[in-house]
Amino acid sequence: MADNPEEQALADEWAAALVEAGDASQDDIDALMAQGTQVETPKPPKAPVEEFGQSSGGLAVSGMEGPNLDVILDIPVTISMEVGHTDISIRNLLQLNQGSVIELDRLAGEPLDVLVNGTLIAHGEVVVVNEKFGIRLTDVISPTERIKKLR
């Protein structure tokens, strides 16, 4: 048995967790109680990582053909269009006011970058649809190339 109350409480928590998980026998629980806090947490098995483009028929939505993507299809992501960027000092940033012009690193007419959660996925051009701005995709980066850029 554990010598101090803290070790006993920890052993009791582990015993309760093992019983709840259903993976422990009474012998396991007794051994755990005798060891106190010297128990290592079992590591869950690692899931195999599947690379994009390795499956023969593309990404499957359900069934035995591949991973079930239904669980992630409704997750919201942030999509943004980047006109360009530049680096300025804090001194110049503090001097900006209405009417100031900031020079960007892009030429007029160059395609915009389309980013999803900060990752480049496409290039496009600005269009106007029903008096609102939109973007027409001109070049979409393949999933394989996107994965390579993440590494």
Side-chain angles (χ1 to χ4, degrees):
M1 283 285 153
D3 292 335
N4 68 38
E6 289 178 10
E7 288 180 359
Q8 182 62 39
L10 183 62
D12 291 341
E13 287 180 34
W14 274 104
L18 287 173
V19 168
E20 184 177 314
D23 294 337
S25 66
Q26 187 60 43
D27 293 335
D28 293 335
I29 295 170
D30 292 339
L32 179 64
M33 296 290 282
Q35 290 177 357
T37 60
Q38 299 174 358
V39 175
E40 290 186 25
T41 306
K43 295 182 181 172
K46 291 185 178 182
V49 177
E50 183 176 327
E51 295 286 332
F52 282 108
Q54 285 186 348
S55 60
S56 59
L59 295 174
V61 175
S62 63
M64 297 301 292
E65 301 88 30
N68 184 355
L69 295 180
D70 287 340
V71 295
I72 65 167
L73 292 178
D74 293 327
I75 296 174
V77 295
T78 301
I79 185 168
S80 60
M81 292 8 123
E82 186 176 280
V83 176
H85 66 276
T86 190
D87 295 322
I88 64 172
S89 66
I90 293 176
R91 179 183 319 281
N92 291 341
L93 178 67
L94 293 173
Q95 292 174 350
L96 294 176
N97 54 35
Q98 189 173 0
S100 296
V101 176
I102 302 171
E103 184 178 348
L104 300 176
D105 63 346
R106 297 257 173 119
L107 298 173
E110 253 188 281
L112 306 178
D113 289 340
V114 179
L115 306 162
V116 173
N117 288 345
T119 301
L120 179 68
I121 62 146
H123 298 286
E125 58 188 21
V126 176
V127 295
V128 178
V129 180
N130 296 330
E131 299 181 8
K132 292 184 179 181
F133 285 116
I135 189 163
R136 177 182 297 125
L137 301 181
T138 57
D139 179 38
V140 178
I141 297 173
S142 71
T144 306
E145 290 298 317
R146 283 181 252 161
I147 296 293
K148 286 179 183 176
K149 287 184 180 184
L150 290 175
R151 291 182 185 176

